Amino acid sequence: MIDRRNFLNAGILTAAGALIVPARAAETPATLSLSLNGSAQGPLVPRDFVGLSYETQQLETPDFFNARNRPLVRAFRDLTPAGILRIGGNTSEFSWWKERPGDKQPPRIERPIKPGQPRPDLSYAVTPAAIDALKGFLDATGWRCIYGLNLGNGVPHDMAREAAYVQRRLGKRLVAFVIGNEVDVFSSHLRDPKTWGPDTYLAEWLAAAHAITAVSPDARFILPDVAYKLDWLPAIADRWATIKNPPRIEALSHHFYKGGPNDPRIKPDRLLLRSTREAQEGKVTSDAARKMGVAYRMTEGNTAYHGGKPGVSDSYVAALWAADYMLQLMSLGYSSVNLHGGAGPAVANSVGGLAGEKMLPDAQPRPRPFYTPIGNMDGQVQPQPVYWGMKFAGLFSGARMRTVQLDAQGLNVVAYAADTAQGTLLAILNKEVSTDVRLPLPRHQSVATLSGPSLDSREARLDLTSRSVPAATVDIARSSATILRLGKVVAAD
């Protein structure tokens, strides 16, 4: 339990440190109805469901993921005491393993510069010192790690050497390896588009995985980590039964970005509109994973790709979006969600420059990715709005999702429910921009409220003050969300 004093001392008020009271409408709120008589046998949310994704190039500086980086350790621990750090991204394809001081970078194939992709001359070394520091960081935070290896420019022998050291040092802190990042778009900058596809990918992947398991027999893997071509997942699942001596697979994975910086959907008044895409992708992913008998994860994603969009990805609307997206994936049975971010240079290198910077006046520079959950500027670590949406959804970690029916009367309001030993959690997200809503409920306890002064504000507030409320109604302000705890609800026969 987080008491009020610790809550204030931790600075969990707003991204700017201000107290925010959401605006309320003068008119009577719209009254909705809700039923919790559905089955309680939904997916069990892992306790380490909440995750962050960082570029592999972040390892170039061993002082970053380091137990001595106390502000970053605290930000991770405050987000969740048990999470998943995914190391990968586009820059993972341009690293090389420097195990000894005299090691030289392997030769590279010369390639042209492609917009939206890392410069082909990008190169940096990952050293044992960086992995040692990463181990200390994971121990200090209580988190585990998904570790990406270089398929784009790497060779199996070097991947095996790196993986062996990583597995030996991280031990139980290692979830699994991922070989290759967004392999479905290798054809745009790293492979021949005429021949690249699931079959050629699997051939390369298997060569690397078998080289790794030859020296690290207990190694586990996540694949294929596609950007958006989810038809690769059933294609791999269909082929898997024919593979001889298959490596151990922990999960299938894909990425998710709502759109690009110039996409008309990436606006404060449109980002929160529900689409069928998430559910459709969840079905494709879960069907393929069940066929292989493995879990499934979303390992990299956020609001807008290419570093995000100013005024959206760095604003309160992103907090509401993150809360809704993560709760939806919990209900779809995902094992974890990793929202992408990190320090500016690594993210900028991963996409050949931050597109969002071109959308800002010269007087308003933002030398950090616009979508990052944790800002890292000149040694300052500052949680951003999306961070508070993640923490809000993370309160469902360890619970079992259950069916909830909400009659929203055509309004953009959604509800999620989950059972815990202490009772049933109920999250209600009012994504309307001009309408408050009201729900009649039995006696309950207020657990959390997510709010902000406006969707495009740089401020977001997560209030974790617990309050008991008698049987009555609960009001949810426009553009806000709340989590309540009810008494145990018995499912209908």
Side-chain angles (χ1 to χ4, degrees):
M1 178 179 293
I2 302 176
D3 63 32
R4 182 68 176 171
R5 177 176 298 176
N6 289 337
F7 172 65
L8 292 174
N9 288 342
I12 307 176
L13 285 177
T14 73
L19 181 65
I20 302 301
V21 179
R24 299 300 305 272
E27 65 271 13
T28 301
T31 300
L32 311 181
S33 62
L34 179 144
S35 172
L36 276 170
N37 291 326
S39 170
Q41 298 304 309
L44 179 65
V45 182
R47 293 190 179 278
D48 57 1
F49 179 90
V50 176
L52 295 171
S53 169
Y54 280 73
E55 292 290 330
T56 301
Q57 194 178 2
Q58 210 79 71
L59 296 176
E60 186 179 24
T61 306
D63 290 338
F64 189 83
F65 289 123
N66 192 306
R68 294 192 300 269
N69 190 350
R70 294 180 181 177
L72 190 62
V73 169
R74 182 176 182 179
F76 271 61
R77 286 188 60 85
D78 283 348
L79 178 59
T80 177
I84 303 292
L85 168 63
R86 177 258 188 172
I87 301 289
N90 282 343
T91 62
S92 67
E93 311 299 350
F94 297 86
S95 66
W96 62 282
W97 177 238
K98 188 175 183 179
E99 191 165 8
R100 297 173 293 271
D103 287 351
K104 302 297 182 182
Q105 176 184 337
R108 291 264 186 88
I109 298 174
E110 292 189 10
R111 295 185 173 94
I113 295 175
K114 294 294 183 69
Q117 298 292 346
R119 288 179 56 89
D121 57 356
L122 175 65
S123 179
Y124 62 95
V126 175
T127 65
I131 305 305
D132 295 345
L134 175 62
K135 172 61 162 59
F137 181 84
L138 294 171
D139 286 342
T141 58
W143 285 42
R144 296 193 297 153
C145 179
I146 295 171
Y147 191 90
L149 295 166
N150 180 353
L151 181 67
N153 286 293
V155 296
H157 172 72
D158 291 335
M159 280 184 262
R161 291 171 53 233
E162 182 176 1
Y165 192 89
V166 170
Q167 179 153 331
R168 186 166 63 250
R169 289 296 291 126
L170 298 192
K172 293 182 179 179
R173 295 291 181 190
L174 179 66
V175 176
F177 294 106
V178 175
I179 305 173
N181 171 78
E182 296 191 345
V183 293
D184 54 326
V185 296
F186 269 25
S187 56
S188 68
H189 67 126
L190 289 168
R191 294 294 187 272
D192 184 350
K194 297 178 181 178
T195 58
W196 187 249
D199 288 317
T200 46
Y201 157 72
L202 265 180
E204 288 194 21
W205 187 93
L206 285 166
H210 283 141
I212 291 167
T213 54
V215 294
S216 304
D218 295 331
R220 298 175 65 90
F221 300 91
I222 295 172
L223 81 167
D225 229 39
V226 292
Y228 63 91
K229 297 179 182 178
L230 266 71
D231 58 340
W232 278 48
L233 276 68
I236 288 169
D238 289 343
R239 291 159 173 76
W240 199 253
T242 66
I243 294 173
K244 296 180 180 179
N245 189 27
R248 297 172 66 191
I249 304 301
E250 194 276 338
L252 293 181
S253 64
H254 67 85
H255 297 177
F256 180 93
Y257 288 94
K258 190 73 173 180
N262 295 309
D263 192 319
R265 295 172 296 179
I266 309 301
K267 293 182 178 181
D269 60 344
R270 297 192 64 186
L271 183 67
L272 299 176
L273 296 177
R274 178 63 66 91
S275 73
T276 60
R277 176 185 167 194
E278 292 87 342
Q280 290 170 345
E281 292 188 351
K283 186 177 189 314
V284 171
T285 302
S286 61
D287 286 350
R290 290 188 183 103
K291 188 169 187 176
M292 292 178 60
V294 300
Y296 45 104
R297 301 176 181 269
M298 200 294 288
T299 47
E300 180 190 319
N302 217 302
T303 50
Y305 52 76
H306 288 172
K309 180 177 181 177
V312 179
S313 304
D314 56 355
S315 302
Y316 170 62
V317 66
L320 268 180
W321 171 84
D324 186 23
Y325 178 66
M326 292 179 66
L327 286 164
Q328 187 175 10
L329 265 58
M330 289 177 181
S331 69
L332 292 173
Y334 280 74
S335 293
S336 66
V337 169
N338 299 86
L339 294 192
H340 200 52
V347 176
N349 285 340
S350 74
V351 291
L354 299 178
E357 289 184 345
K358 300 176 182 178
M359 301 178 179
L360 289 173
D362 292 340
Q364 298 180 15
R366 301 268 176 82
R368 62 170 174 265
F370 301 100
Y371 59 31
T372 185
I374 301 174
N376 300 272
M377 278 277 298
D378 300 325
Q380 298 296 314
V381 173
Q382 179 64 62
Q384 301 301 298
V386 69
Y387 177 100
W388 306 114
M390 296 181 70
K391 187 173 177 70
F392 178 91
L395 296 176
F396 273 55
S397 297
R400 183 172 292 279
M401 302 299 290
R402 65 174 297 141
T403 302
V404 55
Q405 290 92 28
L406 174 69
D407 180 3
Q409 300 181 16
L411 298 175
N412 190 13
V413 184
V414 295
Y416 302 91
D419 289 333
T420 72
Q422 293 75 37
T424 297
L425 291 178
L426 175 64
I428 308 163
L429 287 73
N430 181 3
K431 299 183 289 178
E432 287 288 326
V433 297
S434 60
T435 305
D436 294 357
V437 298
R438 174 173 293 166
L439 279 168
L441 287 175
R443 182 179 180 85
H444 60 274
Q445 183 181 39
S446 174
V447 174
T449 301
L450 181 65
S451 61
S454 65
L455 290 179
D456 59 358
S457 169
R458 289 293 314 283
E459 300 172 338
R461 181 192 180 212
L462 179 61
D463 185 349
L464 297 175
T465 306
S466 180
R467 306 178 186 88
S468 292
V469 183
T473 59
V474 59
D475 290 350
I476 303 95
R478 63 192 67 182
S479 305
S480 74
T482 189
I483 294 178
L484 311 172
R485 180 179 286 113
L486 312 176
K488 292 186 179 180
V489 178
V490 179
D493 293 333

